[in-house]
């Protein structure tokens, strides 16, 4: 890319620069500073809810986590069901971590940055909501969409592709964006899919680069997003007419507009050794807290040790 720029070709640099700032953390998040991955298209989680039930109780889709807690309490007290389930719990935990401005991974020093009192509070809050019956920790059926359809829950956060599967007999489905921020810190977890660069010979590397440059040109990237029923995260793609027409003419009942509402603050996380294990530990320790096997304080201490060991390759 630097060689291209020297020759006066800034197209690839412009494409990467047009990504949301939070998403660049993932792109530039490799230990040696190299770029080995770029998003091709993106999706993400949204709220799906029983709009008929919400209307009956005079509720609106939550715009903040506090509103989610409040309406969950109301639904539990009025209807006797756990209101909310997170399909993809770790993504919600990561969102809460980032919106509380805790950072995530210190790539250089191979340590997590969120093992502190605020993380204890996050764990305590979520576990308390589950223990009170306001949140459902596990699905009752096979899928969250099934639980919503059966009336076992009133709202869940999950992939936007659920718009194909959620059905409520004799009821109306509602959709809404996830909360954008806590205080003045905004973040939305994007689910990116795109080319991964596997280093080989210089000749192969250059060929891969040229393909990716072709693949991410606005017209091609727009077509790829449409074929995948997804969004293009690049500003370079978003400004062309083909893509604008796609976004402005989505079929009724699609969830993508609710991902689009948060795309400007969307981000992802460094792909380094141990990052997958961190996701597993985040959910595992919350599960232990909900089951009263361990306190939130103890969980965060153990979480820090396990995550840092994973980052160190132990």
């Amino acid at each position: 890319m630097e060689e291209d720029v020297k020759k006066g070709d800034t197209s690839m640099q412009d494409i990467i620069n047009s990504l949301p700032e939070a998403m660049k953390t993932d792109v530039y998040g490799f230990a040696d500073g190299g770029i080995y991955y770029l998003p091709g298209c993106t999706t993400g989680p949204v709220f799906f809810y029983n709009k008929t039930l919400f209307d009956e109780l005079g509720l609106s889709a939550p715009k903040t986590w506090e509103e989610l807690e409040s309406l969950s309490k109301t639904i539990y007290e009025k209807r006797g069901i756990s209101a909310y389930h997170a399909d993809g719990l770790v993504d919600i935990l990561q969102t809460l971590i980032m919106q509380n401005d805790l950072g995530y991974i210190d790539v250089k020093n191979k340590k997590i940055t969120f093992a502190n009192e605020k993380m204890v509070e996050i764990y305590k809050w979520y576990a308390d909501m589950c223990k009170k019956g306001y949140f459902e920790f596990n699905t009752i059926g096979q899928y969250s969409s099934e639980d919503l359809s059966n009336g076992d829950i009133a709202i869940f956060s999950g992939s936007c592709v659920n718009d194909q599967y959620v059905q409520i007999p004799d009821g109306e489905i509602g959709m809404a964006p996830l909360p954008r921020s806590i205080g003045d810190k905004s973040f939305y977890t994007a689910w990116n899919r795109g080319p991964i660069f596997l280093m080989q010979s210089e000749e192969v590397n250059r060929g891969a680069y040229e393909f990716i440059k072709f693949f991410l040109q606005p017209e091609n990237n727009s077509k790829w997003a449409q074929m995948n029923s997804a969004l293009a995260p690049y500003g370079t793609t978003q400004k062309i007419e083909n893509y604008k027409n796609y976004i402005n003419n989505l079929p009724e009942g699609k969830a993508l507009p609710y991902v689009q509402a948060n795309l400007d603050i969307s981000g992802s996380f460094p792909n380094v050794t141990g990052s997958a294990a961190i996701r597993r530990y985040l959910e595992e320790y919350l599960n232990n807290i909900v089951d009263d096997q361990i306190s939130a304080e103890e969980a965060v201490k153990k979480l820090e040790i396990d995550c840092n060991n994973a980052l160190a390759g132990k």
Side-chain angles (χ1 to χ4, degrees):
M1 187 167 67
E2 290 171 353
E3 290 176 10
D4 273 357
V5 171
K6 288 179 181 178
K7 296 174 184 175
D9 178 5
T10 64
S11 60
M12 193 65 178
Q13 185 179 69
D14 293 340
I15 287 169
I16 296 175
N17 286 345
S18 75
L19 283 169
E21 285 302 315
M23 205 175 285
K24 293 176 185 175
T25 300
D26 192 12
V27 170
Y28 290 104
F30 294 88
D32 65 357
I35 298 176
Y36 299 93
Y37 146 86
L38 287 166
C41 59
T42 191
T43 57
V46 302
F47 280 138
F48 294 90
Y49 64 97
N50 186 329
K51 187 176 184 302
T52 303
L53 173 62
F54 272 54
D55 290 345
E56 289 172 359
L57 297 178
L59 301 172
S60 300
K63 295 180 180 179
T64 66
W65 301 109
E66 290 82 3
E67 288 180 10
L68 175 63
E69 176 181 344
S70 177
L71 69 83
S72 295
K73 179 176 184 292
T74 298
I75 291 171
Y76 180 77
E77 292 175 347
K78 299 281 188 181
R79 296 300 172 89
I81 61 172
S82 295
Y84 169 68
H85 174 72
D87 182 5
L89 176 59
V90 69
D91 297 292
I92 298 302
L93 290 174
Q94 288 177 320
T95 298
L96 291 169
I97 286 169
M98 297 301 292
Q99 289 185 1
N100 276 283
D101 203 18
L102 305 186
Y104 194 66
I105 297 174
D106 179 345
V107 174
K108 181 179 179 180
N109 295 306
K110 298 183 179 180
K111 294 183 182 297
I112 59 170
T113 63
F114 53 84
N116 52 36
E117 284 302 314
K118 181 56 71 172
M119 188 67 213
V120 173
E121 291 178 19
I122 292 170
Y123 267 165
K124 281 184 174 179
W125 174 73
Y126 203 98
D128 188 48
M129 293 299 100
C130 293
K131 291 176 182 180
K132 287 179 177 178
Y134 302 162
F135 292 1
E136 178 60 56
F137 193 79
N138 299 301
T139 55
I140 297 169
Q142 190 172 2
Y143 302 105
S144 300
S145 55
E146 181 181 316
D147 284 8
L148 183 65
S149 299
N150 292 340
D152 294 318
I153 57 174
I155 181 171
F156 78 91
S157 57
S159 171
C160 57
V161 301
N162 277 289
D163 57 18
Q164 305 170 59
Y165 307 112
V166 178
Q167 296 179 351
I168 300 178
D170 303 318
E172 184 180 356
I173 299 165
M175 290 175 275
L178 290 190
R180 286 175 60 88
S181 59
I182 295 175
D184 59 358
K185 180 63 177 179
S186 299
F187 185 84
Y188 174 72
T189 299
W191 295 339
N192 295 322
R193 292 167 177 81
I196 296 172
F197 202 116
L198 302 177
M199 290 184 67
Q200 296 184 45
S201 65
E202 177 66 17
E203 183 180 12
V204 172
N205 292 348
R206 286 184 176 275
Y209 171 73
E210 291 300 330
F211 169 74
I212 290 169
K213 185 164 67 171
F214 164 81
F215 179 77
L216 294 180
Q217 290 301 310
E219 289 291 343
N220 297 332
N221 186 230
S222 175
K223 293 174 184 177
W224 182 253
Q226 293 175 52
M227 287 294 291
N228 283 276
S229 299
L231 300 175
Y234 299 97
T236 47
T237 301
Q238 293 165 12
K239 66 184 181 183
I240 68 172
E241 286 304 313
N242 178 272
Y243 186 78
K244 288 179 181 178
N245 289 336
Y246 163 60
I247 292 299
N248 293 333
N249 293 286
L250 288 169
E252 187 176 350
K254 296 297 289 183
L256 278 179
Y258 305 101
V259 178
Q260 179 75 36
N262 284 331
L263 193 61
D264 61 313
I265 55 165
S266 63
S268 41
F269 301 91
N271 287 299
V272 294
T273 298
S275 57
I278 291 174
R279 288 175 56 86
R280 185 177 72 251
Y281 288 133
L282 276 168
E283 187 167 345
E284 183 179 300
Y285 277 113
L286 178 55
N287 190 19
N288 292 339
I289 298 167
V290 173
D291 287 345
D292 289 321
Q293 296 178 20
I294 193 172
S295 71
E297 289 82 1
E298 292 171 317
V300 171
K301 288 179 182 178
K302 291 179 178 291
L303 178 71
E304 181 175 25
I305 293 170
D306 286 341
C307 289
N308 288 345
N309 283 340
L311 290 171
K314 296 180 181 179

